[in-house]
Structure formats: C-alpha cells, structure tokens
Amino acid sequence: MIRVLLADDQSLVRAGFQALLGAQPDIEVTGEAADGAEALTLVRELRPDVVLMDIRMPVLDGLAATRKITADPDLDGVKVVMLTTFELDEYVFEAIRSGASGFLVKDTEPDELLRAVRAVVDGDALLSPGVTRRLIAEFAARSKEPAEAVGLGRLTEREREVMALVGIGLSNEEIARRLVVSALTAKTHVSRAMVKLGARDRAQLVVLAYESGLVRPGWLG
C-alpha cells in the first residue's frame, strides 16, 4: 500500500486528489494539510511514502517544508512531489535542489497523477523528458565551477557513463539504446549509482551530475 499525504491550501484541490487516490486499491491517503507547517508535523507523525506538496502555502511554504523533510535522516524514505499551477514555475529549479523527487502541474490528467505517485515510490524522477531537459538547461545556465567530485570514485566507468546520460535528460530506455544494453541493465546501473552516491532519486542524480562536473553545460548542444 502506497501511503500519500496531501498538502495544499485549497480544500477543493485536496478533495479532488483524495477522491482519485483513495479509489485506488494500492494507494491510501493518510492525511491532509492546509499549510507547510501542518504538512511537516503530519509527515513526522504519519511517515507517508509520498507527499504531494503545493509550492505556495501560508505559514510555511512548500519549498521550506520540503527542505526540512529531505534534510531529516529519519524521513529518508519520504518522497516529496511538488504541485504547481504552471509547468515552468520559477520555484521548480529550487524545489529539485531542495530534494523534491519531481513536480506535477495541478491540472495533470488523472492517469498521469496515478502513474506519477507509483513511479516516485519506485525511485523514478517525476519529470517528463521535455521538462527534464528544460530543468537541465536551467542547471546549465546557473552552473558555477564544479564542486569536488565527492563520491564519483566509487562508481564504475559504466556507472559514470550512465550517470552522465541521466544528467543530460535521457530515460532508461534511451540510455539502453545509446549503450546497446537492455532497459533493465540501464535501470540497474542507475540504481547502483544512486545507492553509491546516496542520491534519494533520479532527480538528485541529475543535480549531482552537474555539481560534480561530470556533466557540463556545453553538453546540451
């Protein structure tokens, strides 16, 4: 059973998500919060698998709440998905850096929302290829001198290669085609790289790829 916490200051949005998610046999809505502070309290109390977190909320905004959740070792298993009204929300970049596993626009199709909740529990980043590439372009535009490549020495040559491909926005299937391996093999390499580097999910692997200098802005072409 996938346990989901809803955090949004609009009761109608919460009600809509509650109705959709609660009707699924493998998903349970464990709680609802109307602001970031309440969300943080409920996350610590209920330990959900996924938090659907609105970016803009009173008392404590979703971004600040996400930072507190992802910085707490006791909440390591909790994945945060940011909710936004617009796909190119100005805070999406900061949300991913803060540890969010991805984001969804609020008017996303019901099937896509369900797929997304299940995918993030499996460790996948919740970003469509087009959105991923725009996000990566934003990383490239803001990138500074690479930080010391802490942890990259733990990776095999193939894992570094796969991580770089993740960093430029390729899916497991695209990586598999590029390297002429199976999609399962590609996914295994991604998973091993995440474990070795302590990355929460694929989105954080993209951040690490840029911040370590493994991927550089010029790679976008």
Side-chain angles (χ1 to χ4, degrees):
M1 185 67 72
I2 300 172
R3 305 171 71 250
V4 178
L5 177 71
L6 304 176
D8 195 295
D9 61 344
Q10 298 180 50
S11 57
L12 284 177
V13 171
R14 297 198 308 273
F17 283 174
Q18 166 75 268
L20 176 63
L21 297 170
Q24 305 306 307
D26 61 332
I27 298 176
E28 174 190 6
V29 177
T30 61
E32 298 183 25
D35 61 65
E38 185 180 8
L40 188 58
T41 297
L42 288 177
V43 166
R44 288 170 172 159
E45 177 184 336
L46 302 174
R47 304 296 172 92
D49 300 301
V50 180
V51 182
L52 295 181
M53 180 90 74
D54 188 19
I55 288 182
R56 296 175 178 83
M57 289 188 291
V59 185
L60 186 70
D61 67 36
L63 213 54
T66 297
R67 289 195 197 97
K68 291 180 181 294
I69 291 170
T70 58
D72 189 338
D74 290 338
L75 303 176
D76 188 54
V78 179
K79 301 295 180 65
V80 179
V81 176
M82 307 304 296
L83 299 173
T84 178
T85 305
F86 302 104
E87 195 174 77
L88 293 179
D89 191 293
E90 62 184 293
Y91 295 112
V92 166
F93 174 84
E94 189 59 36
I96 300 301
R97 288 196 74 121
S98 298
S101 296
F103 70 96
L104 287 172
V105 289
K106 291 184 180 181
D107 62 354
T108 191
E109 292 295 323
D111 286 348
E112 178 66 14
L113 173 64
L114 296 174
R115 184 203 67 78
V117 168
R118 293 174 178 127
V120 77
V121 170
D122 289 335
D124 291 336
L126 216 51
L127 302 166
S128 68
V131 171
T132 299
R133 290 184 175 91
R134 285 198 295 276
L135 184 68
I136 288 170
E138 184 72 7
F139 272 110
R142 299 186 184 203
S143 64
K144 302 175 182 177
E145 284 298 310
E148 185 179 349
V150 177
L152 291 187
R154 303 175 198 149
L155 305 184
T156 65
E157 183 176 347
R158 178 47 64 94
E159 287 164 355
R160 287 167 67 102
E161 186 177 13
V162 168
M163 180 177 171
L165 295 175
V166 170
I168 62 173
L170 299 191
S171 66
N172 288 343
E173 290 72 20
E174 290 170 327
I175 292 171
R177 289 195 294 271
R178 178 78 65 93
L179 300 180
V180 195
V181 297
S182 70
L184 179 59
T185 297
K187 182 176 182 179
T188 298
H189 286 310
V190 172
S191 297
R192 286 175 178 167
M194 286 168 49
V195 169
K196 289 181 179 180
L197 297 178
R200 291 171 63 92
D201 51 38
R202 197 182 188 96
Q204 193 173 13
L205 204 59
V206 171
V207 175
L208 293 174
Y210 269 89
E211 293 188 336
S212 68
L214 184 63
V215 176
R216 297 179 184 278
W219 286 28
L220 289 171

